[in-house]
Amino acid sequence: MIYLDHAATTSLSDAALQTFIDISKEYYGNPSSIHWAGRKANSILRKARLDIAQIFDTKPEQIIFTSGGSEADTLAIQGYALANQHKGKHLITTAIEHHAVLHTMEYLEKCFGFEVTYIEPVNQVISAQQIKEALRPDTILVSVMYANNETGLLLPIREIGEILYDHQAVFHVDAVQAIGKIPILPEELHIDFLSAAAHKFHGPKGVGFLYSRLANFDSLIHGGRQEEQHRAGTENLAGIAAMATALKEQTDQLEQHYQTVTDLKAFLLDKLAPSNYYLNESGPSLPYVVNIGFPHQLNEQLLMRLDLAGIAVSSGSACTAGVIQASHVLEAMYGQDSDRLKESIRISFSHKTTKEELDFLVQQLHQIIGGTQ
Ligand SMILES: Cc1ncc(COP(=O)(O)O)c(C=O)c1O
């Protein structure tokens, strides 16, 4: 069985699994309890927060643990927009964001009368200039992803941060696909909110965090006073500790892993070279994701046949009842009539991917599409 869908989720690392087991067994107290068991659990929570804060060079209290990327995105966007609507009701994002961002924006439009500008890619990329032109005096938040989950495209975060520096709008960055893969220092990049999900960097599912430079935003979950009163609910202690382990592991080996994956991508494309394919790649991209199309090959059938051969890859876009929905990302990049929407698949690596696995993938692809190796 070959797994090449790491942009969807990754396997848990051995060290993260061990942390998860150890913490679940030994630290069963509620971190909010004041007795010994609570204090013991709380020490783990504090350490995880501190470890993560150190990686991003932030203050520990600026890390808010969440249930994953979607919650972190929603907390930043909805939480900030609702608490600051007296400053203006205009928001900016891009048409290629994850649905966690897009659907939160739509909700704010529909239910709270916000106005949202969705920046469409020009020549398949989003430029900082487009953000600059969309800014208005009543813009209060700009949300742009660090790296796109379907294509790996890197967005111009540094330039956007500079543009927003002297504007009232705060900057939210969905860095779910980039964290653990490239170094990110939010303060240096003038980022106010940064979203992360542990399961994308070999941590557990159902846990993530939001870096937040600011404190003036509403909670999504009300109740206890956890997370500086920004997110009520007893913390997922084992998950949080395992996330910190995984993040530290990935960050310590960031450059080696990046090189390994860069080589894997080159290896795959080299092997595929004689056959007829195109890349949906339009600018600087993370090597971890390859969005590739094969002319006249329907992605639905391709994915099914690869699955039969034991290879897990994806279309990158949502799938409802076994039917692939056209990708909103490719649609924004190439137009709704482009064949790329029906022909493209997403192959996504981790540093654990091997060349043997890619050899097998290429062999299967050639058998299916009838090319030669
Ligand atoms: C860019 C991006 N943002 C947000 C999410 C949502 O994260 P989660 O599944 O942890 O809620 C994902 C997950 O695919 C993603 O790729």
Side-chain angles (χ1 to χ4, degrees):
M1 293 299 174
I2 294 176
Y3 186 75
L4 293 168
D5 197 13
H6 292 91
T9 196
T10 58
S11 61
L12 196 58
S13 80
D14 291 344
L17 175 60
Q18 197 55 54
T19 301
F20 194 93
I21 293 169
D22 293 347
I23 300 298
S24 301
K25 266 191 188 162
E26 286 289 320
Y27 297 82
Y28 46 81
N30 186 322
S32 297
S33 301
I34 52 170
H35 49 57
W36 64 267
R39 290 197 305 277
K40 206 173 143 181
N42 195 263
S43 71
I44 295 297
L45 188 63
R46 265 187 287 133
K47 175 148 181 2
R49 204 186 303 280
L50 188 64
D51 286 348
I52 293 176
Q54 273 170 358
I55 289 169
F56 294 95
D57 201 14
T58 69
K59 298 191 188 97
E61 61 272 22
Q62 294 175 325
I63 302 296
I64 298 162
F65 294 123
T66 67
S67 66
S70 302
E71 188 189 327
D73 284 344
T74 311
L75 179 57
I77 298 169
Q78 185 176 312
Y80 187 83
L82 292 185
N84 293 277
Q85 43 187 319
H86 56 281
K87 297 179 188 163
K89 293 192 84 165
H90 180 235
L91 312 167
I92 299 175
T93 191
T94 81
I96 63 168
E97 298 297 311
H98 190 271
H99 283 135
V101 168
L102 292 176
H103 290 169
T104 303
M105 293 285 180
E106 286 164 19
Y107 173 69
L108 289 170
E109 281 180 299
K110 208 169 73 185
C111 299
F112 295 94
F114 280 84
E115 206 183 318
V116 183
T117 301
Y118 299 90
I119 306 284
E120 295 284 341
V122 174
N123 296 328
Q124 291 87 47
V125 292
I126 304 279
S127 71
Q129 184 60 26
Q130 288 176 279
I131 305 285
K132 192 175 181 174
E133 283 162 16
L135 273 176
R136 305 190 328 206
D138 62 337
T139 310
I140 59 164
L141 177 138
V142 174
S143 180
V144 178
M145 67 200 325
Y146 210 109
N148 184 268
N149 49 302
E150 292 190 29
T151 63
L153 179 73
L154 286 160
L155 284 93
I157 297 303
R158 183 176 292 277
E159 293 89 322
I160 298 171
E162 278 162 16
I163 288 167
L164 294 180
Y165 189 62
D166 49 14
H167 190 284
Q168 70 153 354
V170 298
F171 191 19
H172 167 248
V173 175
D174 174 344
V176 166
Q177 291 290 340
I179 285 178
K181 300 189 175 87
I182 47 176
I184 299 174
L185 294 174
E187 222 175 282
E188 189 197 302
L189 295 168
H190 305 310
I191 293 171
D192 299 299
F193 295 104
L194 185 88
S195 305
H199 69 109
K200 307 288 186 181
F201 51 79
H202 300 280
K205 296 175 200 356
V207 60
F209 64 88
L210 177 70
Y211 155 76
S212 149
R213 191 180 68 79
L214 306 161
N216 55 338
F217 59 97
D218 289 351
S219 291
L220 302 179
I221 303 174
H222 306 285
R225 299 168 67 86
Q226 291 93 345
E227 303 302 305
E228 305 275 326
Q229 298 190 56
H230 288 310
R231 204 271 188 186
T234 303
E235 298 85 352
N236 170 7
L237 191 65
I240 290 168
M243 167 165 70
T245 299
L247 186 59
K248 183 145 179 16
E249 229 185 345
Q250 294 311 308
T251 320
D252 285 348
Q253 298 171 70
L254 205 113
E255 280 160 29
Q256 296 97 297
H257 288 171
Y258 196 90
Q259 193 51 53
T260 302
V261 173
T262 302
D263 293 346
L264 286 170
K265 179 180 171 184
F267 178 84
L268 174 68
L269 296 183
D270 188 48
K271 287 270 169 184
L272 280 172
S275 63
N276 194 8
Y277 75 87
Y278 54 81
L279 291 180
N280 298 312
E281 201 175 292
S282 49
S285 305
L286 284 182
Y288 287 80
V289 179
V290 178
N291 199 308
I292 186 167
F294 301 91
H296 316 301
Q297 300 293 327
L298 290 180
N299 53 13
E300 234 164 72
Q301 285 169 18
L302 203 54
L303 293 181
M304 212 158 57
R305 292 191 61 184
L306 287 171
D307 187 28
L308 286 174
I311 302 172
V313 293
S314 132
S315 71
S317 58
C319 192
T320 310
V323 178
I324 297 171
Q325 291 168 3
S327 153
H328 70 282
V329 174
L330 296 186
E331 188 176 326
M333 288 168 73
Y334 299 103
Q336 61 176 2
D337 297 329
S338 169
D339 286 340
R340 290 176 189 248
L341 274 58
K342 287 182 261 144
E343 294 172 349
S344 300
I345 62 170
R346 176 184 71 181
I347 300 164
S348 52
F349 312 117
S350 94
H351 60 280
K352 296 183 189 172
T353 302
T354 64
K355 289 186 175 167
E356 288 69 35
E357 290 175 323
L358 297 184
D359 259 335
F360 187 67
L361 167 69
V362 170
Q363 202 186 328
Q364 293 303 314
L365 275 173
H366 281 140
Q367 258 182 36
I368 298 167
I369 65 182
T372 51
Q373 200 170 342

